[in-house]
């Protein structure tokens, strides 16, 4: 089965299906090199967040790669504390400053903390300003999405949640698909210490096809239409 390398979000923005996640990547030379090398190796989608505290390094890695900005898809996220403080607009400007960018391709609400409906209205303003080409959410369950869509005007372009063969998220993925919300898998390999890559079935499939367990797992996600962010 052939897997496309991009999909079109509900507002027409193309998002690469495979991206590099930089959660727990420390700000500094290691992250700068990782981002640069990833881009030079063919990655064109980098996923960071304000709370990761590495946006400066991600931005430097992008510039060091010498790949034109418009060819790289950049995601960052609004953190909980900024939502609680009503700093959504300022937080976006902080992220752009540290990334050294005029805009991001996707801006996500990191968690559905109290007041997320009001925060989403601020994100709608960010979308209208052009500082983000698309906006979405992360770690939202069906009831959060239902409330958000009932009380605001812009349907989230994506919902990013933990997903892998041991946490398939089938009901949530079906709901998102029905509503035209793209599903993004974080921790697609199960995370540190997870049994996904050591699973006997996955290892047997990998051996049969001459692939690694990680390749088999990512293929499982991509063939189900998920956007996938391995670290």
């Amino acid at each position: 089965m052939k897997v496309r390398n991009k999909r079109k979000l509900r507002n027409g923005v193309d998002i690469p299906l495979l991206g590099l996640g930089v959660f727990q990547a420390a700000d500094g030379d290691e992250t700068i090199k990782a981002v640069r090398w990833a881009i030079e190796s063919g990655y064109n989608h980098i996923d960071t967040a304000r709370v990761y505290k590495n946006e400066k390094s991600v931005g430097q890695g992008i510039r060091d790669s010498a790949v034109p900005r418009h060819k790289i898809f950049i995601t960052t996220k609004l953190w909980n504390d900024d939502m609680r403080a009503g700093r959504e607009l300022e937080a976006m400007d902080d992220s752009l400053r540290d990334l050294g960018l005029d805009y991001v391709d996707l801006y996500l609400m990191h968690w559905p903390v109290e007041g997320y409906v009001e925060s989403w209205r601020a994100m709608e303003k960010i979308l209208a300003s052009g500082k983000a080409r698309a906006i979405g959410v992360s770690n939202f369950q069906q009831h959060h999405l239902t409330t958000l869509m009932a009380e605001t005007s812009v349907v989230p372009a994506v919902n990013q949640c933990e997903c892998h063969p041991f946490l398939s998220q089938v009901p949530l993925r079906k709901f998102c698909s029905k509503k035209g919300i793209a599903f993004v898998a974080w921790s697609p390999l199960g995370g540190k210490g997870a049994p996904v890559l050591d699973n006997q079935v996955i290892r047997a499939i990998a051996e049969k096809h001459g692939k690694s367990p990680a390749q088999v797992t990512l293929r499982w996600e991509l063939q189900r239409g998920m956007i996938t962010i391995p670290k």
Side-chain angles (χ1 to χ4, degrees):
M1 178 181 178
K2 185 177 181 181
V3 177
R4 293 175 296 174
N5 60 7
K6 289 184 178 181
R7 70 168 288 176
K8 199 171 290 292
L9 298 177
R10 60 180 301 113
N11 66 344
V13 171
D14 286 326
I15 181 171
L17 291 183
L18 189 65
L20 174 71
V22 294
F23 173 57
Q24 294 183 331
D27 203 39
D29 194 52
E30 183 177 355
T31 298
I32 293 171
K33 289 180 179 178
V35 170
R36 189 190 88 211
W37 292 339
I39 294 171
E40 291 175 348
S41 298
Y43 276 89
N44 55 1
H45 182 178
I46 308 295
D47 182 282
T48 185
R50 190 69 187 159
V51 75
Y52 299 170
K53 300 185 185 300
N54 57 20
E55 289 173 317
K56 289 182 180 179
S57 294
V58 169
Q60 189 61 55
I62 293 167
R63 289 186 290 277
D64 289 353
S65 74
V67 174
R69 166 68 184 96
H70 71 275
K71 293 186 176 182
I72 306 171
F73 192 99
I74 306 299
T75 298
T76 194
K77 307 177 190 78
L78 171 66
W79 183 235
N80 304 347
D81 292 345
D82 290 313
M83 293 170 63
R84 295 186 181 106
R87 293 191 69 257
E88 296 88 352
L89 303 183
E90 293 87 349
M92 176 80 269
D93 289 339
D94 291 343
S95 287
L96 291 177
R97 181 197 65 227
D98 285 353
L99 286 163
L101 301 176
D102 296 324
Y103 68 93
V104 294
D105 299 278
L106 180 61
Y107 195 45
L108 302 181
M109 187 183 298
H110 211 144
W111 289 91
V113 300
E114 184 177 358
Y116 65 85
V117 171
E118 285 304 315
S119 290
W120 185 252
R121 293 191 177 108
M123 291 184 66
E124 291 178 335
K125 294 179 181 178
I126 290 170
L127 177 66
S129 75
K131 293 179 180 179
R133 297 175 65 219
I135 55 174
V137 296
S138 180
N139 302 302
F140 272 50
Q141 297 302 309
Q142 181 173 332
H143 67 279
H144 299 121
L145 292 167
T146 299
T147 297
L148 197 66
M149 290 185 291
E151 298 188 24
T152 61
S153 58
V154 177
V155 176
V158 311
N159 184 22
Q160 184 180 121
C161 294
E162 181 178 3
C163 188
H164 47 74
F166 288 2
L167 182 61
S168 61
Q169 300 277 22
V170 172
L172 182 58
R173 287 195 288 117
K174 286 183 177 179
F175 177 82
C176 289
S177 179
K178 183 178 179 180
K179 299 299 182 181
I181 301 170
F183 192 91
V184 181
W186 63 256
S187 200
L189 301 178
K192 185 177 180 180
V196 175
L197 301 185
D198 290 327
N199 178 263
Q200 290 185 357
V201 173
I202 293 174
R203 293 183 71 85
I205 294 170
E207 185 174 351
K208 177 181 178 180
H209 294 281
K211 303 295 182 181
S212 70
Q215 286 175 306
V216 169
T217 303
L218 294 176
R219 184 76 175 189
W220 177 87
E221 289 146 358
L222 291 171
Q223 285 189 186
R224 281 157 179 77
M226 289 182 248
I227 299 150
T228 309
I229 311 293
K231 180 174 180 294

